């Protein structure tokens, strides 16, 4: 089973890298850029084929390591093995 | 196995004659894997086929040299049972393609060259050449290269303590990224890459092997796989974290008595590392590719042998010590695999899937490696141009402000602030603080002084004088901090050696370097050659980069640029003739790039260096700076900026030209700050030693005053000095 | 003073910190490996050094914060033991939840290595008691992710409780309220981005870090904070 | 219009970060992790409401700045403004 975790900054946390990308795009002449947000994606291949077990396991991974709740939120999605 | 066609041979960068030689050595047609092996072993990079005949002219010996060129790095004695191990290497092309990873993996590679010899890396330096600051790619390349060097060095925790950065449009399509690493080892614990002991295990450690950077030439041979493009990134990605673990694990293992030979896997990976170990030891080696830790599935023997995946090492262990070694690498979570044995056959025999995929005689390949004495056109000797004061449309103050803000002289703070130059807590003088970086030898009162030098505009005008000057400037920078110059590493960056003009430049630069090294007792102990730095037939200026290493026996004597108080006298050592030909002044202020560079008088160079060093050892020198780009006025301005204290420069009556006196680049000169009490003694000793020295300035105030001109406030000077990078990099 | 410094894979200021501590404490400092599951019984102080543990992968300090030894350090801190996290050590302490807030990429996105001016904001801690009140010191920073952030409530609480130990006078990274170092609730844990261990030797350009280590010595000799 | 760009390493390019995360998950007792891959996502708010124009613009942004073609590939998706 493959899980996809998308981790992003909580609303209100200033992301200097996203801000820099927006600025750089502006400098490069992309005038229509109103804003940029960033997220990181982790795709995790799991041994289990049970969707519930997989989701529960990845949920725990996020709590234990993958996301920092002080600044980040996450969303888990299960994929068919691609 | 596919057939070897003339196209396959050409795609491997081998000539028909080289192909014939391969057939003669093997007594048959090589298979593709073998062709790949020959192709990398006989590449310019591994075989030095175009440069060898010239490099032989460089002096490589001195009583303090423990190991000269030929091993992974040079080794010199630094006392107290310790040695310094150092080398410089280029990563020019990869850095142009992918500046961050190219520069980062360049640092990774040079670190491995040093710790493979048993030394803990203690310092990095980087010599960088970029194109015109206004060229659209320059900014991107500069940002990426600096981030990559910092990204790697900072993470492994080795301080980047110095370097050089210049700009010229001739590097637009071929930037140079030369990295130097220095390590320290116990003299009785230096490790070499010489296989020995029939039956001893050959061990692979570090990261897994992927399809990274496999020899570009082979892209042409279609039979590998349909999706060859997608499968073979030619850019290697570095992993400084793994490198850090590899350093610690290797040094931990080296403290045991387990290792017979060790060699990093650099260019051409497993092939050249196993080959070179066997060649140096006069043994054979058997490899079983099925045991190599792989990152990807379905890798062919060709790919495994030629992969340039980073952060890997090859070792020969004493038989029976595998378990002990394996334990150490397991602790550091690194791969460890016995992949072969040392044999007495004198052949490199490679198996994969149970069959022999390559079988080549080691000594024959090494001995038969092509050596070319390529045609040379001696470079023309240029004549000096003269420059009269009347031809200069600006005031000396305007010229100075222009020079301190010029791309080649502006403050490099934007760069070195991105490098952790203090980690390891032994950096006594870091970037921007002195002519050479000074790094204490941990746990002793000694220190190493380190510098990189080359003035490409001199080398372009006159490769012989330029080569001499690069060595002399390194020597001078070491003396200026109070160090005794010990030895040199180099990185010779040139264009296409198949062109006689380029080869002529190369030969002349080597001759100049050799003459200077000999005269200054400053042998070359390691180095690297990078040819083919050209695009569309336009070569870079000859850039024989020199890395110098010196020794201070008392770290407390290390002398920087900054005055520590007002009312010091500044003594100019050496005689100026107002040499503006080929100077930075001529280029930046008058827009003229021409004329002969200032000649280096090696006897004077040596005498002056010795004098300065002795005065520093006597504790008389409060600050010191050598005179180089921009001459006396720029050197003084840099000292003022480093200390935040002004100075008044007295221009003697009767100088033939004010601009020549202020900005001339006559060689072999230093500016020393001394107290008024010490000055008479120092001047008397100078006279006795046959050294021309005179007081030219006094420190004080918050402005720099040139003769009877208007004061230039340090604030304005600083704004100009810091302005270039701020403008270039912050929009 | 019985002090220890922990080495994680990728730590690179561990030796520097141990050397500085030994210099000021005048006695050997224990070196602990991250895989150890117990702390020596008699410790007064644990130092978490700078570096790039696990290559800073995922988030700086994140992976190291989940090491067995950090669990023990959290327990040690809860019992009142002294814990000092410098640079990456600070990042580990926030990731481990021993200190509030988080450290993210510097505002200008570049690694920054330079000396910064700091003000000592409180002398009411075992790490700062030997500084004069309001002292200004010069200490180097060397980091890519030193931009401290926390929610408004946390920041207000840090201010109210006097737990901001050091503030930048020339903020190099965009940290909220110029925060360079903070104390834990019990004032026995300090995390800071600047490197005091790099300014404990006059040959290396300063000794402004010495009072921090002297504070610890006094605190331990005096029997607590 | 909002565009979403997903950028990842080309196959075969070493991703030491993903490998370190996989290893850390293993150490934390997540035995079922077979592999981890990483990607980054940029969400870009654009002034234009024309889908074709938006796609063309973001395509150019990727070429010029957002992705490094030597080691990365990217995929663009247009979203309704979320
Ligand atoms: N690429 C670089 N990396 C680190 N330090 C650098 C780099 N380029 C220049 N520096 C440092 O900036 C200072 C000024 O450089 P430079 O003008 O070349 O010095 P000098 O004229 O004394 O040889 C030196 O301390 C040098 O080590
Ligand atoms: Mg110099």
């Amino acid at each position: 089973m493959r899980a996809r975790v998308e981790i992003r900054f909580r609303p209100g946390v200033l992301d200097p890298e996203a801000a820099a990308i927006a600025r750089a795009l502006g400098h490069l002449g992309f005038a229509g850029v109103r804003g940029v947000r960033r997220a990181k994606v982790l795709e995790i291949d799991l041994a289990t084929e049970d969707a519930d077990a997989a989701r529960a396991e990845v949920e725990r991974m996020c709590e234990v390591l993958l996301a920092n709740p002080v600044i980040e939120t996450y969303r888990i999605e299960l994929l068919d093995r691609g | 196995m596919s057939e070897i066609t003339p196209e396959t041979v050409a795609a491997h960068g081998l000539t028909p004659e080289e192909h014939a030689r391969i057939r003669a050595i093997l007594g048959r047609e090589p298979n593709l894997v073998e062709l790949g092996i020959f192709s990398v072993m006989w590449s310019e990079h591994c075989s030095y086929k175009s440069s060898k005949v010239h490099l032989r002219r460089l002096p490589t010996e001195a009583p303090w040299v423990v190991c000269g060129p030929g091993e992974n790095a040079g080794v010199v004695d630094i006392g107290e049972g310790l040695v310094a191990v150092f080398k410089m290497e280029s990563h020019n092309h990869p850095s142009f393609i992918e500046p961050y990873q190219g520069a980062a993996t360049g640092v990774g590679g040079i670190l491995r060259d040093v710790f493979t010899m048993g030394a803990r890396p203690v310092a990095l330096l980087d010599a960088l050449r970029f194109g015109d600051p206004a060229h659209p790619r320059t900014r991107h390349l500069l940002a990426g290269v600096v981030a990559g060097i910092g990204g790697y060095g900072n993470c492994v925790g080795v301080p980047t303590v110095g370097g050089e950065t210049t700009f010229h449009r001739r590097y637009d399509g071929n930037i140079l990224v030369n990295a130097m690493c220095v390590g320290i080892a116990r003299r009785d614990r230096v490790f070499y890459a010489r296989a020995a002991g029939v039956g001893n295990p050959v061990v692979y450690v570090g990261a897994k092997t992927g399809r990274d950077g496999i020899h570009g030439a082979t892209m042409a041979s279609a039979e590998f796989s349909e999706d060859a493009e997608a499968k073979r990134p030619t850019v290697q990605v570095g992993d400084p974290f793994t490198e850090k673990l590899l350093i610690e694990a290797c040094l931990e293992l080296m403290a045991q008595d387990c290792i017979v030979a060790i060699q990093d896997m650099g260019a051409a990976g497993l092939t050249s590392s196993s080959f070179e170990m066997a060649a140096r030891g006069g043994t054979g080696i058997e490899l079983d590719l099925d045991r190599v830790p792989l990152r990807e599935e379905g890798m062919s023997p060709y790919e495994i042998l030629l992969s340039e995946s980073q952060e890997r090492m090859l070792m020969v262990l004493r038989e029976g010590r595998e378990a002990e070694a394996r334990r150490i690498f397991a602790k550091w979570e690194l791969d460890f695999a016995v992949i072969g044995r040392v044999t007495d056959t004198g052949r490199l025999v490679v198996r994969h899937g149970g069959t022999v995929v390559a079988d080549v005689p080691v000594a024959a390949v090494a001995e038969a490696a092509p050596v070319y004495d390529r045609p040379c056109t001696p470079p023309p000797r240029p004549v000096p141009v003269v420059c009269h004061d009347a031809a200069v449309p600006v005031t000396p103050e305007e010229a100075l402000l222009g020079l301190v803000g010029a791309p080649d002289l502006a403050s490099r703070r934007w760069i070195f602030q991105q490098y952790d130059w203090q980690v390891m807590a032994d950096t006594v003088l870091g970037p921007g603080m002195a002519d050479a970086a000074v790094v204490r030898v941990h746990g002793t009162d000694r220190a190493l002084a380190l510098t990189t030098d080359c003035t490409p505009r001199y080398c372009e005008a006159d490769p012989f004088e330029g080569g001499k000057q690069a060595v002399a400037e390194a020597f001078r920078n070491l003396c200026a901090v109070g160090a005794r110059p010990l030895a040199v590493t180099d990185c010779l960056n040139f264009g296409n050696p198949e062109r006689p003009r380029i080869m002529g430049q190369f030969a002349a630069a080597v001759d100049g370097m050799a003459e200077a090294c000999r005269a200054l007792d400053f042998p070359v102990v390691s180095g690297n050659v990078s040819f083919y730095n050209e695009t569309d037939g336009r070569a870079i200026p000859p850039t024989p980069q020199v890395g110098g290493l010196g020794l201070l026996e008392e770290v407390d004597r290390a002398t920087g640029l900054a005055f520590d108080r007002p009312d010091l006298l500044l003594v100019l050592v050496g005689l100026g003739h107002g040499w503006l030909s080929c100077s930075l002044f001529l280029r930046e202020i008058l827009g003229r790039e021409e004329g002969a560079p200032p000649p280096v008088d090696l006897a004077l160079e040596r005498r002056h260096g010795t004098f300065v060093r002795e005065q520093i050892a006597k504790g008389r020198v409060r600050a010191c700076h050598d005179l180089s780009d921009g001459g006396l006025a720029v050197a003084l301005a840099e000292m003022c900026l480093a200390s935040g204290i002004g100075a008044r420069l007295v221009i003697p009556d009767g100088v033939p030209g004010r601009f020549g006196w202020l900005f001339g680049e006559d060689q072999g000169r230093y500016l020393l700050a001394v107290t008024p009490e010490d000055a008479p003694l120092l001047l008397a000793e100078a006279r006795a030693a046959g050294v021309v020295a005179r007081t030219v300035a006094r420190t004080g105030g918050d402005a720099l005053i040139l003769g009877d001109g208007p004061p230039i406030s340090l604030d304005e000077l600083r704004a100009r000095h810091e302005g270039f990078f701020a403008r270039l990099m912050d929009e | 003073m019985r002090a220890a410094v922990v080495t994680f894979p990728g730590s690179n200021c561990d030796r520097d910190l141990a050397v500085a501590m030994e210099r000021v404490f005048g006695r050997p400092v224990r070196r602990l490996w991250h895989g150890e599951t117990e702390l020596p019984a008699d410790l007064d102080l644990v130092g978490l050094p700078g570096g790039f543990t696990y290559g800073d992968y995922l988030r700086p300090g994140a992976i190291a914060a989940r090491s067995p030894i950090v669990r023990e350090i959290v327990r040690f801190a809860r019992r009142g033991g002294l814990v000092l996290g410098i640079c990456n050590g600070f990042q580990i302490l926030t990731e481990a939840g021993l200190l509030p807030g988080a450290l993210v990429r510097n505002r200008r996105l570049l690694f920054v290595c330079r000396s910064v001016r700091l003000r000592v904001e409180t002398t009411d801690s075992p790490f700062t008691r030997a500084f004069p009140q309001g002292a200004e010191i010069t200490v180097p920073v060397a980091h890519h992710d030193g931009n401290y952030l926390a929610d408004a409530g946390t920041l207000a609480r840090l201010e109210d409780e006097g737990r901001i130990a050091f503030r930048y006078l020339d903020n190099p990274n965009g940290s909220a309220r110029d925060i360079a170092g903070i104390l834990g609730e019990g004032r026995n844990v300090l995390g800071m981005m600047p490197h005091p261990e790099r300014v404990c030797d006059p040959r290396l350009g300063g000794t402004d870090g010495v009072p921090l280590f002297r504070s610890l010595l006094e605190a331990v000799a005096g029997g607590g904070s």
Side-chain angles (χ1 to χ4, degrees), chain B residues 267-283:
Chain B
L270 194 49
T271 300
S272 65
S273 54
S274 50
F275 220 95
E276 284 168 15
M277 285 218 288
R280 291 197 186 104
T283 67

Side-chain angles (χ1 to χ4, degrees), chain B residues 572-592:
Chain B
L572 174 63
V573 170
L575 199 54
H577 302 282
W579 192 286
L580 287 174
S581 177
C582 203
S583 67
L584 205 61
F585 171 87
L586 200 67
R587 187 177 94 191
E588 295 296 325
I589 306 302
L590 301 180
R592 294 166 59 188

Side-chain angles (χ1 to χ4, degrees), chain B residues 434-436 451 453 473 476-477 625-628 638:
Chain B
D435 280 320
T451 180
D453 293 283
E473 182 162 353
R476 207 179 300 147
N477 281 334
H625 195 5
D626 77 312
L627 271 51
S628 53
E638 287 173 344

Side-chain angles (χ1 to χ4, degrees), chain B residues 4-60:
Chain B
I4 301 300
T5 63
E7 290 72 41
T8 326
V9 172
H12 279 77
L14 293 163
T15 64
E17 299 77 65
E18 288 167 355
H19 181 210
R21 202 179 300 188
I22 294 169
R23 273 199 310 250
I25 289 174
L26 295 180
R28 59 176 164 83
E29 189 68 59
N31 64 37
L32 198 58
V33 173
E34 290 163 342
L35 195 70
I37 294 175
F38 278 96
S39 130
V40 297
M41 292 314 299
W42 287 2
S43 68
E44 191 64 58
H45 187 91
C46 291
S47 72
Y48 290 84
K49 58 188 169 192
S50 303
S51 54
K52 221 177 206 155
V53 294
H54 300 286
L55 296 178
R56 287 190 193 121
R57 297 198 295 276
L58 293 168
T60 60

Side-chain angles (χ1 to χ4, degrees), chain B residues 35-311:
Chain B
L35 195 70
I37 294 175
F38 278 96
S39 130
V40 297
M41 292 314 299
W42 287 2
S43 68
E44 191 64 58
H45 187 91
C46 291
S47 72
Y48 290 84
K49 58 188 169 192
S50 303
S51 54
K52 221 177 206 155
V53 294
H54 300 286
L55 296 178
R56 287 190 193 121
R57 297 198 295 276
L58 293 168
T60 60
E61 285 173 8
W64 52 87
V65 173
V66 175
C67 173
E71 275 286 343
N72 282 299
V75 184
V76 294
D77 197 300
I78 56 169
E80 301 194 23
L82 300 172
V83 291
V85 177
F86 69 115
K87 173 147 197 292
M88 178 155 44
E89 209 161 76
S90 65
H91 231 214
N92 304 338
H93 188 63
S95 302
F96 186 74
I97 304 289
E98 211 308 287
Y100 185 98
Q101 294 297 344
T105 52
V107 171
I110 196 64
L111 282 162
R112 285 192 293 285
D113 274 332
V114 165
F115 73 79
T116 194
M117 299 199 70
R120 176 171 286 281
V122 298
L124 290 162
L125 294 92
D126 60 325
L128 311 177
R129 313 286 170 185
F130 294 101
D132 188 333
H135 188 280
R137 271 187 81 109
T138 297
R139 206 187 112 107
H140 161 76
L141 291 167
L142 173 62
V145 164
V146 170
I149 290 168
Y152 208 100
N154 300 344
C155 184
V156 295
V158 177
T160 302
V161 298
E164 253 193 314
T165 313
T166 63
F167 299 84
H168 196 278
R169 61 179 187 289
R170 294 272 301 280
Y171 298 101
D172 280 350
N174 296 86
I175 63 169
L176 302 185
V177 175
N178 293 178
M180 168 170 160
C181 179
V182 186
I184 292 174
R186 272 173 48 180
R187 188 179 165 132
D188 59 1
R189 274 239 189 95
V190 176
F191 289 82
Y192 297 98
R194 202 164 296 144
V198 172
N200 276 337
V202 175
V203 171
Y204 170 118
V205 297
K208 293 187 198 311
T209 296
R211 292 187 173 92
D212 310 82
I214 291 165
H215 202 234
T218 60
M219 293 281 190
S221 32
E223 57 274 10
F224 277 111
S225 65
E226 312 78 84
D227 55 345
E229 256 311 296
K231 269 195 177 164
R232 285 206 197 89
T234 46
V235 174
Q236 300 109 284
V237 171
D239 179 9
F241 171 58
T242 294
E243 181 102 333
K244 167 70 175 166
L245 304 186
L246 197 54
I247 294 176
E248 299 304 332
C250 286
L251 292 177
E252 196 171 321
L253 180 60
M254 284 161 166
Q256 316 299 318
D257 188 29
C258 296
I259 300 177
V260 175
I262 176 164
Q263 160 90 40
D264 65 300
M265 290 191 225
L270 194 49
T271 300
S272 65
S273 54
S274 50
F275 220 95
E276 284 168 15
M277 285 218 288
R280 291 197 186 104
T283 67
I285 280 186
E286 248 174 43
L287 295 180
D288 181 357
L289 298 186
D290 296 322
R291 303 212 215 155
V292 172
L294 299 180
R295 198 169 80 222
E296 297 174 68
E297 280 166 22
M299 287 184 68
S300 69
Y302 186 99
E303 292 173 318
I304 299 170
L305 275 173
L306 298 187
S307 161
E308 295 191 350
S309 290
Q310 302 288 297
E311 291 95 23

Side-chain angles (χ1 to χ4, degrees), chain B residues 227-462:
Chain B
D227 55 345
E229 256 311 296
K231 269 195 177 164
R232 285 206 197 89
T234 46
V235 174
Q236 300 109 284
V237 171
D239 179 9
F241 171 58
T242 294
E243 181 102 333
K244 167 70 175 166
L245 304 186
L246 197 54
I247 294 176
E248 299 304 332
C250 286
L251 292 177
E252 196 171 321
L253 180 60
M254 284 161 166
Q256 316 299 318
D257 188 29
C258 296
I259 300 177
V260 175
I262 176 164
Q263 160 90 40
D264 65 300
M265 290 191 225
L270 194 49
T271 300
S272 65
S273 54
S274 50
F275 220 95
E276 284 168 15
M277 285 218 288
R280 291 197 186 104
T283 67
I285 280 186
E286 248 174 43
L287 295 180
D288 181 357
L289 298 186
D290 296 322
R291 303 212 215 155
V292 172
L294 299 180
R295 198 169 80 222
E296 297 174 68
E297 280 166 22
M299 287 184 68
S300 69
Y302 186 99
E303 292 173 318
I304 299 170
L305 275 173
L306 298 187
S307 161
E308 295 191 350
S309 290
Q310 302 288 297
E311 291 95 23
R312 304 178 300 159
M313 311 280 270
L314 197 67
M315 311 186 292
V316 174
L317 295 184
R318 274 180 225 299
E319 206 172 352
R321 309 299 289 272
E322 294 94 323
E324 197 175 340
R326 188 185 293 274
R327 227 175 2 255
I328 291 174
F329 283 84
K331 170 184 161 193
W332 292 97
E333 296 191 34
L334 294 164
D335 270 296
F336 177 101
V338 176
I339 63 164
R341 315 232 139 242
V342 177
T343 65
D344 60 2
T345 61
R347 304 182 76 86
L348 179 67
V349 179
V350 184
R351 288 192 176 75
H352 184 249
T355 60
V356 172
V357 294
D359 180 354
V360 291
V362 172
V365 173
E367 279 156 23
V371 173
Y372 298 128
D373 193 353
R374 297 189 185 277
C376 288
T377 308
R381 295 299 288 262
V383 291
V385 299
V386 285
C387 171
H388 298 291
D389 280 2
V392 181
V394 297
T395 66
E397 290 74 21
E398 288 165 343
L400 179 59
L401 286 168
L403 280 170
V404 297
D408 283 1
L409 278 179
S411 163
R412 270 80 181 109
R413 187 182 313 282
W414 183 87
I415 295 177
F416 60 69
Q417 263 188 12
Q418 295 184 57
Y419 301 153
D420 188 342
W421 51 270
Q422 299 174 311
V423 62
M424 298 188 87
D426 281 311
T427 307
V428 174
L429 292 170
M433 295 165 69
D435 280 320
V438 175
V439 177
R440 180 172 55 188
V441 178
H442 195 72
T444 73
D445 286 329
R446 293 172 175 247
L448 300 180
L450 310 166
T451 180
T452 65
D453 293 283
C454 177
T455 310
R457 70 175 182 282
Y458 295 169
C459 298
E460 169 73 9
D462 185 339

